Amino acid sequence: MHTKTILIVDDEPRIRQGIKKTLENWANGQYLILSAAGGEEAIEIIEANKISLLITDIRMPEMSGLYLLETLKKQERNPVVIIISAYSEFAYAQQALRLGVVNYLLKPVSKQKLIEAVEQAVQVEQKQTRTGLIQKVVDEKLADMNNYNDGNKIYSKSIIDAILFIDERFNMEITLKQVAAHVHLNSSYFSALFKEQTNVTFSEYLTRIRLQHAKNLLMTSTLPVTEIAEKVGYNTSKYFIKLFKQYEGMTPNAYRKGNENDF
């Protein structure tokens, strides 16, 4: 099962096949390596496959590599890109960089330089993927609240301990009374103190933590909603779906469907 795909676009068969062979040896089966003889063929492949890394020549007869990148940008397809060209004019490099190219290599490219560039590009792609995933699943209210070291916030030790206790046990049956006992406070006092310092109730915090983990599972796994509900601490999927819709404005299945093409 290939998790990532690399596409090579070059109108010169010898160069195209040489790059493909080099990368297949380097990838050792971990990446699917595809190739195209021109821009139009590349677009067809990209429309049918999720491309993580695009390696393309700049000058090709039917469609230049730069025009290919501009076309993909208009289609909101944004693979990480390496440009390979025999033309070292600064204008090409400038335009390539403006289009988000991470590396610009001049022919002839050695195997070592090619592999170094690809490894760097893979790191960029992985970082973009992680960043995108974090941005999609993060609960901004939680992110703001959980910044214990923010100089503008002063959480008592009891509240910090309570938050850590909840974070470790969100997938279990957990009550306000249990958490209050853990931090050696009266339930009523703990409830008021938690709301005063965090600006959310205990119940809302627990719900938001569970739903954040659920969103992560919806985007990164194929687990059914009923199983995800159980994994984040809900006995019934019906209640989980109700809460998810209340906080996210859509059902878990709709959330998954809306993000399935991104990762």
Side-chain angles (χ1 to χ4, degrees), residues 170 172 174 206-214 232-234:
F170 72 90
M172 308 175 191
I174 185 170
L206 179 59
T207 299
R208 286 182 180 276
I209 281 289
R210 285 173 166 173
L211 294 184
Q212 180 160 298
H213 283 279
V232 298
Y234 293 105

Side-chain angles (χ1 to χ4, degrees), residues 98-159:
R98 181 177 60 79
L99 289 166
V101 171
V102 298
N103 219 322
Y104 183 94
L105 303 176
L106 297 178
K107 294 177 181 177
V109 182
S110 69
K111 288 182 181 180
Q112 185 183 343
K113 289 244 182 231
L114 174 65
I115 289 169
E116 284 175 0
V118 168
E119 287 177 344
Q120 179 196 356
V122 165
Q123 288 178 354
V124 171
E125 192 274 338
Q126 288 172 344
K127 185 176 180 182
Q128 287 179 354
T129 300
R130 284 195 300 270
T131 303
L133 181 60
I134 289 165
Q135 286 173 344
K136 283 179 177 290
V137 302
V138 74
D139 182 316
E140 290 183 8
K141 201 164 187 178
L142 286 182
D144 179 61
M145 187 193 127
N146 282 350
N147 188 3
Y148 313 132
N149 298 318
D150 187 335
N152 297 320
K153 295 193 190 82
I154 301 174
Y155 288 176
S156 66
K157 184 179 183 302
S158 295
I159 294 304

Side-chain angles (χ1 to χ4, degrees), residues 1-18:
M1 178 75 179
H2 299 285
T3 55
K4 303 284 184 179
T5 302
I6 297 173
L7 175 61
I8 302 153
V9 189
D10 198 303
D11 62 305
E12 297 181 57
R14 185 180 58 82
I15 293 174
R16 184 172 69 249
Q17 289 159 14

Side-chain angles (χ1 to χ4, degrees), residues 115-235:
I115 289 169
E116 284 175 0
V118 168
E119 287 177 344
Q120 179 196 356
V122 165
Q123 288 178 354
V124 171
E125 192 274 338
Q126 288 172 344
K127 185 176 180 182
Q128 287 179 354
T129 300
R130 284 195 300 270
T131 303
L133 181 60
I134 289 165
Q135 286 173 344
K136 283 179 177 290
V137 302
V138 74
D139 182 316
E140 290 183 8
K141 201 164 187 178
L142 286 182
D144 179 61
M145 187 193 127
N146 282 350
N147 188 3
Y148 313 132
N149 298 318
D150 187 335
N152 297 320
K153 295 193 190 82
I154 301 174
Y155 288 176
S156 66
K157 184 179 183 302
S158 295
I159 294 304
I160 292 173
D161 287 348
I163 289 170
L164 294 173
F165 185 78
I166 297 165
D167 290 356
E168 288 172 1
R169 294 165 177 78
F170 72 90
N171 57 336
M172 308 175 191
E173 193 169 326
I174 185 170
T175 65
L176 184 146
K177 189 175 181 181
Q178 287 174 324
V179 181
H182 175 73
V183 295
H184 310 293
L185 292 176
N186 168 277
S187 295
S188 299
Y189 177 69
F190 168 71
S191 178
L193 187 68
F194 193 92
K195 176 71 189 304
E196 179 189 336
Q197 292 191 16
T198 67
N199 291 321
V200 295
T201 64
F202 162 81
S203 176
E204 182 183 351
Y205 180 75
L206 179 59
T207 299
R208 286 182 180 276
I209 281 289
R210 285 173 166 173
L211 294 184
Q212 180 160 298
H213 283 279
K215 287 190 287 182
N216 189 22
L217 287 171
L218 285 165
M219 290 183 65
T220 61
S221 78
T222 57
L223 291 172
V225 169
T226 50
E227 198 169 330
I228 288 175
E230 289 174 10
K231 281 187 175 293
V232 298
Y234 293 105
N235 293 326

Side-chain angles (χ1 to χ4, degrees), residues 46-100:
I46 290 168
E47 286 174 349
N49 300 272
K50 169 72 175 172
I51 305 298
S52 300
L53 171 59
L54 173 66
I55 302 171
T56 182
D57 190 9
I58 280 188
R59 284 205 175 173
M60 294 179 287
E62 294 176 2
M63 182 189 292
S64 74
L66 295 178
Y67 187 80
L68 168 62
L69 298 188
E70 287 171 347
T71 303
L72 294 179
K73 221 167 187 57
K74 286 174 187 173
Q75 294 178 355
E76 296 185 353
R77 299 178 190 275
N78 299 297
V80 174
V81 181
I82 294 173
I83 284 284
I84 297 179
S85 179
Y87 301 89
S88 57
E89 290 96 330
F90 184 63
Y92 281 113
Q94 272 193 317
Q95 195 174 354
L97 292 169
R98 181 177 60 79
L99 289 166

